[in-house]
Amino acid sequence: MPMPQTYFHASLDFDAFLQDVRDTCMLQTHHQAYHTLRAVLHTFRAHLTTEQALEFANILPAVTRAIFVEDWVEDWQPGETPPPFPDRVALTRKVKFVRQDHNMAPDTAIADVATALRRSSVDERQLDRVLARLPEGAVDFWNPHV
């Protein structure tokens, strides 16, 4: 079996995605885009069970998937019931709280990352199928128009 393309081109694909996040969020650097992306992914993850998070991670490209599941032990306690998704304002506050002293995430970070993710990184039909199986609020989280 040949090496899957998702791994073969992982760094090139991620660099293009991160550039899209940077431009969509109107940030200045890849570093700022990385931390914004990470904050959005981890904020979303905090409202999923471990099983749900792994189901979502499975549709992400390799490097984005790695960022999504990093710090697993520190942030997740298997078996605990995650909190429900709050409204967008509260979610945005959580995104901005991640690395708060160095965070450049705009108020539109969740919608901007959702736009970039849907535009260049995932199969939207597959994303929508997975989101429909996740808790209430998951679909809205990844809706760039909310």
Side-chain angles (χ1 to χ4, degrees), residues 76-129:
W76 287 337
Q77 298 300 317
E80 284 188 10
T81 302
F85 283 92
D87 63 24
R88 182 60 66 109
V89 172
L91 289 166
T92 299
R93 270 196 309 270
K94 288 182 180 190
V95 166
K96 288 174 158 277
F97 186 75
V98 175
R99 294 200 68 212
Q100 63 187 354
D101 294 333
H102 305 282
N103 195 328
M104 302 298 292
D107 290 342
T108 57
I110 296 171
D112 293 345
V113 170
T115 297
L117 185 77
R118 288 179 173 278
R119 183 170 35 228
S120 62
S121 287
V122 298
D123 177 324
E124 283 195 88
R125 290 173 296 175
Q126 190 177 27
L127 173 64
D128 291 337
R129 276 194 302 273

Side-chain angles (χ1 to χ4, degrees):
M1 178 174 151
M3 177 186 218
Q5 291 298 307
T6 190
Y7 299 125
F8 188 74
H9 294 288
S11 62
L12 292 173
D13 293 344
F14 181 69
D15 188 56
F17 173 54
L18 201 59
Q19 184 172 337
D20 192 10
V21 169
R22 182 196 70 198
D23 294 347
T24 305
C25 290
M26 293 188 280
L27 297 168
Q28 299 299 312
T29 69
H30 271 59
H31 181 80
Q32 293 169 344
Y34 165 79
H35 286 290
T36 298
L37 170 64
R38 183 177 180 273
V40 169
L41 290 172
H42 287 197
T43 297
F44 178 71
R45 185 183 75 183
H47 300 281
L48 304 176
T49 65
T50 302
E51 182 178 315
Q52 292 165 338
L54 290 175
E55 183 177 7
F56 179 77
N58 197 42
I59 66 165
L60 297 173
V63 178
T64 307
R65 181 183 319 131
I67 294 167
F68 182 74
V69 299
E70 73 180 352
D71 297 331
W72 182 279
V73 176
E74 291 179 28
D75 294 342
W76 287 337
Q77 298 300 317
E80 284 188 10
T81 302
F85 283 92
D87 63 24
R88 182 60 66 109
V89 172
L91 289 166
T92 299
R93 270 196 309 270
K94 288 182 180 190
V95 166
K96 288 174 158 277
F97 186 75
V98 175
R99 294 200 68 212
Q100 63 187 354
D101 294 333
H102 305 282
N103 195 328
M104 302 298 292
D107 290 342
T108 57
I110 296 171
D112 293 345
V113 170
T115 297
L117 185 77
R118 288 179 173 278
R119 183 170 35 228
S120 62
S121 287
V122 298
D123 177 324
E124 283 195 88
R125 290 173 296 175
Q126 190 177 27
L127 173 64
D128 291 337
R129 276 194 302 273
V130 169
L131 291 175
R133 293 192 298 264
L134 298 180
E136 184 178 339
V139 170
D140 285 345
F141 189 96
W142 292 106
N143 180 344
H145 306 294
V146 172

